[in-house]
Amino acid sequence: MATYAHPEVLVSTDWVAEHLNDTDTIRIVESDEDVLLYETGHIPNAVKIDWVNDLQDQIVRDYIGKQRFAQLCEELGISNDTTVVFYGDKSNWWACYAFWVFRLFGHEKCLLMDGGRKKWVDEGRPLTRERPTFARGSYTAKDPDPSIRAFRDEVLRHIETNRPLVDVRSPAEYRGEVTHMPGYPQEGALRGGHIPGARSIPWSRAANEDGTFKSREELEAIYLQEQGLKPDDDVIAYCRIGERSSHTWFVLTYLLGFDRVRNYDGSWTEWGNLVGVPIEKGAPTPAEAEASA
Amino acid sequence: MTTLDALADELRFADDAMRLEILLDYAGRLPPLPEQYHALRDAGLNRVDECQAPVFLMVDVVDGKVKILADVPEEAPTARSFVALLLEAFNDQPPSVVAEAPPDILHRLGLTGLLGMQRTRGLSAIYQRIKHEVARKAEASR
């Protein structure tokens, strides 16, 4: 079986279990949708990063700046050369989101635990409520890396130049029947639909039932053969607020080896509310279906 | 001062780390759902649709007192803690206590800052469901 394009980035629960105490060089980070889940019990020696309270600026709709990022890392005992292993709930959505933010600020050694929190729990592995403390790290953050983040004007240019956009939301959101995922109505938008020309490839197609990623062959069958994407394509992925598309960004970049994938974190909560931009409604048009056949 | 006011004060005057501690404590105190309701829960009835976690709520008014039964999975501890708090505040109280409870409860509990806007909606839906159902049952039992 072919291995992933960058197999070293994905680690197993076994690997994490073996490295729990390598805290001088490795930091395990839990990142969940639920703000309280880490407190109910987490992998021993894991620290918590919350996507709202830690990674997002509370005033500007944006990520924290590089100074704040460096401070966050130092508080968690993360230095520039620390290997950071991410895991979390919801098939690793927020772990991928945190991973992406770390890459945005140029952190080199980022790993993801395949299967996330659920797999660790289902395997009956140890959890603790003990919050670890580590010696303060020393961190110099880099400026955000624009090669993995897309803004709305870049999305407009993508439409004009017919470059691939991947909508990873549920089919009903894509068609414009609903403006949010079932269960997340707060994250709505004024209009329902998708960015013109975007392919519909729900994020969940890349995941197995147990939250692990599908094999290289299965992923290639979906993204390459079925959807017609090519590893040298300039791809922008989006969802509603940028977390599910972080998952797809991870799949395309590290598992399939695409070298130009950007996450449009403004996503549908920006595009669906933006004045003066076009949207499309309904199922993929026949031309797109043909192109992706 | 109502029970809810007292609980709200405890949370409101805490910092975020203490709030998480308090919520964790509530999450562990949600009474188990009596077995006779498991079939209803498993069939997806009485589910709060706005919540992404399967939150089960059964609201009744018996002899002029509010009776709420609930179940929330352990993987959704925030919703679990909020439901446990509401059960402590409302169970065995007259329906008027629920009717008079403030509409901006999440703000009063200091939870909007902790959760961010994206995570409050499911909890609001739980609260509105309880208020709505208590009013309906109180009216029906009159």
Side-chain angles (χ1 to χ4, degrees), chain B residues 3-19:
Chain B
T3 313
L4 184 61
D5 289 335
L7 300 179
D9 279 354
E10 187 194 9
L11 273 161
R12 189 168 28 164
F13 296 118
D15 62 20
D16 276 350
M18 279 169 66
R19 269 188 202 118

PDB file of all heavy atoms in Angstrom, chain B residues 3-19:
ATOM      1  N   THR B   3     -32.408  30.672  43.160  1.00  0.00           N
ATOM      2  CA  THR B   3     -31.252  29.773  43.059  1.00  0.00           C
ATOM      3  C   THR B   3     -30.411  30.135  41.836  1.00  0.00           C
ATOM      4  O   THR B   3     -29.182  30.148  41.890  1.00  0.00           O
ATOM      5  CB  THR B   3     -31.739  28.320  42.910  1.00  0.00           C
ATOM      6  OG1 THR B   3     -32.740  28.092  43.887  1.00  0.00           O
ATOM      7  CG2 THR B   3     -30.613  27.329  43.092  1.00  0.00           C
ATOM      8  N   LEU B   4     -31.088  30.437  40.716  1.00  0.00           N
ATOM      9  CA  LEU B   4     -30.370  30.758  39.482  1.00  0.00           C
ATOM     10  C   LEU B   4     -29.491  31.988  39.678  1.00  0.00           C
ATOM     11  O   LEU B   4     -28.339  32.020  39.241  1.00  0.00           O
ATOM     12  CB  LEU B   4     -31.369  30.984  38.335  1.00  0.00           C
ATOM     13  CG  LEU B   4     -30.741  31.222  36.965  1.00  0.00           C
ATOM     14  CD1 LEU B   4     -29.920  30.029  36.523  1.00  0.00           C
ATOM     15  CD2 LEU B   4     -31.816  31.531  35.927  1.00  0.00           C
ATOM     16  N   ASP B   5     -30.034  33.012  40.362  1.00  0.00           N
ATOM     17  CA  ASP B   5     -29.238  34.218  40.619  1.00  0.00           C
ATOM     18  C   ASP B   5     -27.981  33.879  41.412  1.00  0.00           C
ATOM     19  O   ASP B   5     -26.899  34.386  41.128  1.00  0.00           O
ATOM     20  CB  ASP B   5     -30.063  35.260  41.395  1.00  0.00           C
ATOM     21  CG  ASP B   5     -31.142  35.878  40.537  1.00  0.00           C
ATOM     22  OD1 ASP B   5     -30.980  35.886  39.303  1.00  0.00           O
ATOM     23  OD2 ASP B   5     -32.163  36.332  41.100  1.00  0.00           O
ATOM     24  N   ALA B   6     -28.154  33.020  42.413  1.00  0.00           N
ATOM     25  CA  ALA B   6     -27.013  32.656  43.258  1.00  0.00           C
ATOM     26  C   ALA B   6     -25.955  31.909  42.434  1.00  0.00           C
ATOM     27  O   ALA B   6     -24.761  32.184  42.542  1.00  0.00           O
ATOM     28  CB  ALA B   6     -27.480  31.795  44.434  1.00  0.00           C
ATOM     29  N   LEU B   7     -26.429  30.973  41.592  1.00  0.00           N
ATOM     30  CA  LEU B   7     -25.499  30.214  40.748  1.00  0.00           C
ATOM     31  C   LEU B   7     -24.813  31.141  39.745  1.00  0.00           C
ATOM     32  O   LEU B   7     -23.622  31.009  39.460  1.00  0.00           O
ATOM     33  CB  LEU B   7     -26.248  29.104  39.995  1.00  0.00           C
ATOM     34  CG  LEU B   7     -26.950  28.051  40.851  1.00  0.00           C
ATOM     35  CD1 LEU B   7     -27.672  27.040  39.969  1.00  0.00           C
ATOM     36  CD2 LEU B   7     -25.964  27.346  41.765  1.00  0.00           C
ATOM     37  N   ALA B   8     -25.602  32.108  39.227  1.00  0.00           N
ATOM     38  CA  ALA B   8     -25.043  33.044  38.241  1.00  0.00           C
ATOM     39  C   ALA B   8     -23.952  33.892  38.879  1.00  0.00           C
ATOM     40  O   ALA B   8     -22.894  34.112  38.282  1.00  0.00           O
ATOM     41  CB  ALA B   8     -26.141  33.930  37.670  1.00  0.00           C
ATOM     42  N   ASP B   9     -24.184  34.334  40.114  1.00  0.00           N
ATOM     43  CA  ASP B   9     -23.184  35.157  40.798  1.00  0.00           C
ATOM     44  C   ASP B   9     -21.883  34.397  40.974  1.00  0.00           C
ATOM     45  O   ASP B   9     -20.797  34.940  40.783  1.00  0.00           O
ATOM     46  CB  ASP B   9     -23.698  35.602  42.166  1.00  0.00           C
ATOM     47  CG  ASP B   9     -24.619  36.806  42.031  1.00  0.00           C
ATOM     48  OD1 ASP B   9     -24.741  37.319  40.892  1.00  0.00           O
ATOM     49  OD2 ASP B   9     -25.216  37.213  43.036  1.00  0.00           O
ATOM     50  N   GLU B  10     -22.025  33.114  41.340  1.00  0.00           N
ATOM     51  CA  GLU B  10     -20.830  32.299  41.565  1.00  0.00           C
ATOM     52  C   GLU B  10     -19.961  32.263  40.295  1.00  0.00           C
ATOM     53  O   GLU B  10     -18.745  32.399  40.348  1.00  0.00           O
ATOM     54  CB  GLU B  10     -21.271  30.874  41.941  1.00  0.00           C
ATOM     55  CG  GLU B  10     -20.129  29.972  42.352  1.00  0.00           C
ATOM     56  CD  GLU B  10     -20.524  28.499  42.398  1.00  0.00           C
ATOM     57  OE1 GLU B  10     -21.644  28.154  41.951  1.00  0.00           O
ATOM     58  OE2 GLU B  10     -19.710  27.698  42.872  1.00  0.00           O
ATOM     59  N   LEU B  11     -20.622  32.099  39.148  1.00  0.00           N
ATOM     60  CA  LEU B  11     -19.884  32.015  37.892  1.00  0.00           C
ATOM     61  C   LEU B  11     -19.408  33.373  37.403  1.00  0.00           C
ATOM     62  O   LEU B  11     -18.295  33.525  36.921  1.00  0.00           O
ATOM     63  CB  LEU B  11     -20.766  31.378  36.814  1.00  0.00           C
ATOM     64  CG  LEU B  11     -20.720  29.852  36.755  1.00  0.00           C
ATOM     65  CD1 LEU B  11     -21.922  29.316  36.012  1.00  0.00           C
ATOM     66  CD2 LEU B  11     -19.436  29.376  36.087  1.00  0.00           C
ATOM     67  N   ARG B  12     -20.275  34.367  37.552  1.00  0.00           N
ATOM     68  CA  ARG B  12     -19.972  35.684  36.990  1.00  0.00           C
ATOM     69  C   ARG B  12     -18.738  36.305  37.641  1.00  0.00           C
ATOM     70  O   ARG B  12     -17.957  36.973  36.996  1.00  0.00           O
ATOM     71  CB  ARG B  12     -21.175  36.596  37.147  1.00  0.00           C
ATOM     72  CG  ARG B  12     -21.012  37.908  36.408  1.00  0.00           C
ATOM     73  CD  ARG B  12     -22.314  38.666  36.325  1.00  0.00           C
ATOM     74  NE  ARG B  12     -23.176  38.337  37.465  1.00  0.00           N
ATOM     75  CZ  ARG B  12     -24.226  39.042  37.821  1.00  0.00           C
ATOM     76  NH1 ARG B  12     -24.563  40.110  37.136  1.00  0.00           N
ATOM     77  NH2 ARG B  12     -24.968  38.694  38.852  1.00  0.00           N
ATOM     78  N   PHE B  13     -18.595  36.076  38.936  1.00  0.00           N
ATOM     79  CA  PHE B  13     -17.484  36.722  39.631  1.00  0.00           C
ATOM     80  C   PHE B  13     -16.210  35.871  39.644  1.00  0.00           C
ATOM     81  O   PHE B  13     -15.235  36.220  40.289  1.00  0.00           O
ATOM     82  CB  PHE B  13     -17.913  37.114  41.048  1.00  0.00           C
ATOM     83  CG  PHE B  13     -19.012  38.136  41.030  1.00  0.00           C
ATOM     84  CD1 PHE B  13     -20.252  37.866  41.577  1.00  0.00           C
ATOM     85  CD2 PHE B  13     -18.798  39.370  40.416  1.00  0.00           C
ATOM     86  CE1 PHE B  13     -21.270  38.813  41.524  1.00  0.00           C
ATOM     87  CE2 PHE B  13     -19.811  40.322  40.372  1.00  0.00           C
ATOM     88  CZ  PHE B  13     -21.054  40.048  40.927  1.00  0.00           C
ATOM     89  N   ALA B  14     -16.250  34.763  38.908  1.00  0.00           N
ATOM     90  CA  ALA B  14     -15.058  33.912  38.801  1.00  0.00           C
ATOM     91  C   ALA B  14     -14.235  34.347  37.586  1.00  0.00           C
ATOM     92  O   ALA B  14     -14.761  35.001  36.680  1.00  0.00           O
ATOM     93  CB  ALA B  14     -15.486  32.457  38.640  1.00  0.00           C
ATOM     94  N   ASP B  15     -12.951  33.987  37.563  1.00  0.00           N
ATOM     95  CA  ASP B  15     -12.196  34.187  36.326  1.00  0.00           C
ATOM     96  C   ASP B  15     -12.380  32.939  35.448  1.00  0.00           C
ATOM     97  O   ASP B  15     -13.022  31.972  35.867  1.00  0.00           O
ATOM     98  CB  ASP B  15     -10.721  34.490  36.594  1.00  0.00           C
ATOM     99  CG  ASP B  15     -10.005  33.352  37.313  1.00  0.00           C
ATOM    100  OD1 ASP B  15     -10.506  32.209  37.283  1.00  0.00           O
ATOM    101  OD2 ASP B  15      -8.941  33.605  37.902  1.00  0.00           O
ATOM    102  N   ASP B  16     -11.842  32.982  34.231  1.00  0.00           N
ATOM    103  CA  ASP B  16     -12.124  31.887  33.295  1.00  0.00           C
ATOM    104  C   ASP B  16     -11.649  30.530  33.816  1.00  0.00           C
ATOM    105  O   ASP B  16     -12.325  29.521  33.632  1.00  0.00           O
ATOM    106  CB  ASP B  16     -11.495  32.174  31.927  1.00  0.00           C
ATOM    107  CG  ASP B  16     -12.389  33.068  31.070  1.00  0.00           C
ATOM    108  OD1 ASP B  16     -13.555  33.290  31.469  1.00  0.00           O
ATOM    109  OD2 ASP B  16     -11.930  33.536  30.020  1.00  0.00           O
ATOM    110  N   ALA B  17     -10.504  30.510  34.488  1.00  0.00           N
ATOM    111  CA  ALA B  17      -9.990  29.229  35.002  1.00  0.00           C
ATOM    112  C   ALA B  17     -10.936  28.679  36.076  1.00  0.00           C
ATOM    113  O   ALA B  17     -11.260  27.488  36.089  1.00  0.00           O
ATOM    114  CB  ALA B  17      -8.587  29.421  35.569  1.00  0.00           C
ATOM    115  N   MET B  18     -11.422  29.559  36.952  1.00  0.00           N
ATOM    116  CA  MET B  18     -12.364  29.113  37.980  1.00  0.00           C
ATOM    117  C   MET B  18     -13.704  28.703  37.370  1.00  0.00           C
ATOM    118  O   MET B  18     -14.343  27.756  37.816  1.00  0.00           O
ATOM    119  CB  MET B  18     -12.600  30.230  39.000  1.00  0.00           C
ATOM    120  CG  MET B  18     -11.495  30.325  40.052  1.00  0.00           C
ATOM    121  SD  MET B  18     -11.653  31.845  41.028  1.00  0.00           S
ATOM    122  CE  MET B  18     -13.195  31.561  41.892  1.00  0.00           C
ATOM    123  N   ARG B  19     -14.114  29.452  36.335  1.00  0.00           N
ATOM    124  CA  ARG B  19     -15.362  29.092  35.642  1.00  0.00           C
ATOM    125  C   ARG B  19     -15.290  27.667  35.106  1.00  0.00           C
ATOM    126  O   ARG B  19     -16.240  26.897  35.229  1.00  0.00           O
ATOM    127  CB  ARG B  19     -15.588  30.032  34.454  1.00  0.00           C
ATOM    128  CG  ARG B  19     -16.385  31.220  34.815  1.00  0.00           C
ATOM    129  CD  ARG B  19     -16.769  32.056  33.616  1.00  0.00           C
ATOM    130  NE  ARG B  19     -17.033  33.357  34.157  1.00  0.00           N
ATOM    131  CZ  ARG B  19     -16.366  34.453  33.861  1.00  0.00           C
ATOM    132  NH1 ARG B  19     -15.428  34.432  32.947  1.00  0.00           N
ATOM    133  NH2 ARG B  19     -16.657  35.570  34.467  1.00  0.00           N
TER     134      ARG B  19
END
